[in-house]
């Protein structure tokens, strides 16, 4: 019998989308246009196609105009940069998202650097990363901000808590650590070279697993009662007779749920939050772009 409470990211994201829909309608009324998000997908990575499709549907549902640009895998860096320049100038576009990972041969850092920081709703541009690091307002990466929202909803004030972030990527681990630090947690970033990872994780009140290794975090790594946020989305090889493999996180869900106080599922945890926060950041970008004050409660 599992003892942990389930943190329902899917339900929380639905509530957030409802608030965003109200904000988008109010914006459209004031600005006489919808907020706009440009989504760029290069190549045909199947997972990226699923996520980009979900983002476009979510935009439509809340009243954000989405402009999809699907480019072939052999697109040149110059062609992609010129599209981004066009989107930077486009008054109907408040936010620009280039879905990662990009096909080999395209320099992700150069592409991110070309996006106007004012339209960088992913929060990947170095200017926005720097703002987060020094505590200035800017765009915050969607996945870590979604995790923080779930944590605050569950735990309230996070001050003084021990948080261990497993993974040090620029898009999840590092910004997650910055957000937890800003929320007054004591933060450890663990990674592939961490000595005695299990023992480090065992001191955590909050565990964020963002490594991309299926079911790596085990029950005996978890302090009883800890809150566990699973950012991993790993597709296992298909079982006999099945077309698609099962989706699992970076946490061995069933056994960890016996020990943790609360845990996010995969799917239905962090993934839906990533998309809802993207809409939230786009709405924020639209207000800044139009010189309107940000709506409250987002
Ligand atoms: N530029 N690239 C950019 N921004 C992002 O924020 C992302 N990310 C990550 C990959 N590349 C990106 C996403 O959108 C991961 N990601 C993402 C978004 C949504 C979901 C998963 C990853 C999601 O909706 N997951 C569902 C399951 C979907 C399925 O069935 O495959 C879930 O319930 O977890």
């Amino acid at each position: 019998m599992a003892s942990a409470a389930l943190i329902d990211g899917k339900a929380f994201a639905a509530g957030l989308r409802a608030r965003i829909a109200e904000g988008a309608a109010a914006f459209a009324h004031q600005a006489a246009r919808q907020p706009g998000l440009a989504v760029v997908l290069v190549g045909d990575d199947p997972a990226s196609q699923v996520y980009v499709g979900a983002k476009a549907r979510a935009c439509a549902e809340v009243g954000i105009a989405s402009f999809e640009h699907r480019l072939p895998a052999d697109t040149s860096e110059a062609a992609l940069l010129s599209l981004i320049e066009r989107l930077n100038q486009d008054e109907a576009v408040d936010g620009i998202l280039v879905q990662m990972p990009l096909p080999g041969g395209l320099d992700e850092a150069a592409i991110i650097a070309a996006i106007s920081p004012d339209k960088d709703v992913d929060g990947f541009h170095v200017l926005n990363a720097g703002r987060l690091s020094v505590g200035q307002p800017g765009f915050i990466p969607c996945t870590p901000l979604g995790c923080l929202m779930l944590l605050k909803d569950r735990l309230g004030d996070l001050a003084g808590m021990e948080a261990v972030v497993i993974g040090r990527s620029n898009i999840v681990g590092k910004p997650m650590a910055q957000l937890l630090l800003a929320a007054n947690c004591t933060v450890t970033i663990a990674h592939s070279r961490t000595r005695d990872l299990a023992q480090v994780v065992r001191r955590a009140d909050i565990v964020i697993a963002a490594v991309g290794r299926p079911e790596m975090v085990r029950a005996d790594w978890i302090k009883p009662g800890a809150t566990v946020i699973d950012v991993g989305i790993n597709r296992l090889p298909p079982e006999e007779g099945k077309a698609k493999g099962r989706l699992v996180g970076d946490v061995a869900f069933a056994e960890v749920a016996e020990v943790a106080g609360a845990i996010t599922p995969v799917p239905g945890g962090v993934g839906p939050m990533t998309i809802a926060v993207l809409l939230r950041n786009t709405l924020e970008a639209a207000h800044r772009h139009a010189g309107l004050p940000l709506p409250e409660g987002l």
Side-chain angles (χ1 to χ4, degrees):
M1 244 318 271
S3 62
L6 199 69
I7 300 176
D8 190 343
K10 196 173 169 187
F12 191 97
L16 181 55
R17 288 198 305 273
R19 298 195 292 282
I20 293 163
E22 286 178 20
F27 175 88
H29 183 72
Q30 289 175 289
R33 65 175 182 86
Q34 287 189 319
L37 174 67
V39 180
V40 180
L41 173 59
V42 187
D44 41 27
D45 178 74
S48 293
Q49 288 181 342
V50 170
Y51 305 151
V52 163
K55 288 172 182 183
R57 274 196 308 282
C59 280
E61 188 194 307
V62 302
I64 291 176
S66 77
F67 309 101
E68 261 186 80
H69 297 267
R70 293 184 183 239
L71 307 178
D74 63 359
T75 298
S76 70
E77 193 163 308
L80 184 53
L81 289 170
S82 98
L83 171 62
I84 290 170
E85 198 39 50
R86 202 148 51 75
L87 298 172
N88 282 341
Q89 304 296 333
D90 189 336
E91 289 298 325
V93 171
D94 299 295
I96 300 170
L97 174 144
V98 179
Q99 188 70 19
M100 302 292 165
L102 290 170
L106 293 172
D107 178 354
E108 289 183 352
I111 301 303
I112 291 166
I115 298 171
S116 164
D118 297 332
K119 297 192 177 187
D120 171 37
V121 287
D122 266 325
F124 291 171
H125 193 285
V126 287
L127 188 64
N128 285 314
R131 285 167 171 158
L132 175 59
S133 153
V134 298
Q136 290 176 12
F139 291 111
I140 296 170
C142 303
T143 299
L145 182 52
C147 294
L148 185 74
M149 288 177 178
L150 294 177
L151 285 169
K152 285 188 166 167
D153 182 59
R154 170 87 208 158
L155 297 170
D157 186 5
L158 307 183
M161 292 188 179
E162 286 275 354
V164 174
V165 179
I166 316 172
R168 53 175 154 178
S169 72
N170 289 335
I171 69 174
V172 182
K174 285 182 203 167
M176 187 76 248
Q178 296 286 4
L179 286 171
L180 291 164
L181 186 59
N184 301 310
C185 292
T186 301
V187 181
T188 302
I189 305 180
H191 48 77
S192 54
R193 305 291 289 272
T194 295
R195 219 184 302 139
D196 204 349
L197 181 57
Q199 192 178 310
V200 170
V201 175
R202 263 195 298 271
R203 66 170 182 248
D205 304 304
I206 293 168
V207 179
I208 311 277
V211 270
R213 283 158 153 271
E215 302 178 318
M216 184 181 78
V217 176
R218 316 302 309 198
D220 62 350
W221 298 22
I222 302 298
K223 176 161 83 176
T227 302
V228 179
I229 305 289
D230 190 351
V231 180
I233 306 216
N234 309 289
R235 181 77 66 185
L236 295 181
E239 285 163 48
E240 201 53 35
K242 296 261 174 68
K244 272 186 162 190
R246 216 158 44 89
L247 213 53
V248 299
D250 291 347
V251 176
F253 180 88
E255 61 175 67
V256 169
E258 301 281 337
V259 183
I263 183 170
T264 60
V266 175
V270 172
M273 289 300 294
T274 296
I275 295 181
V277 173
L278 171 68
L279 306 173
R280 181 221 166 271
N281 284 357
T282 301
L283 187 60
E284 177 180 343
H287 282 81
R288 291 191 189 285
H289 186 185
L292 294 168
L294 301 184
E296 290 188 19
L298 292 174

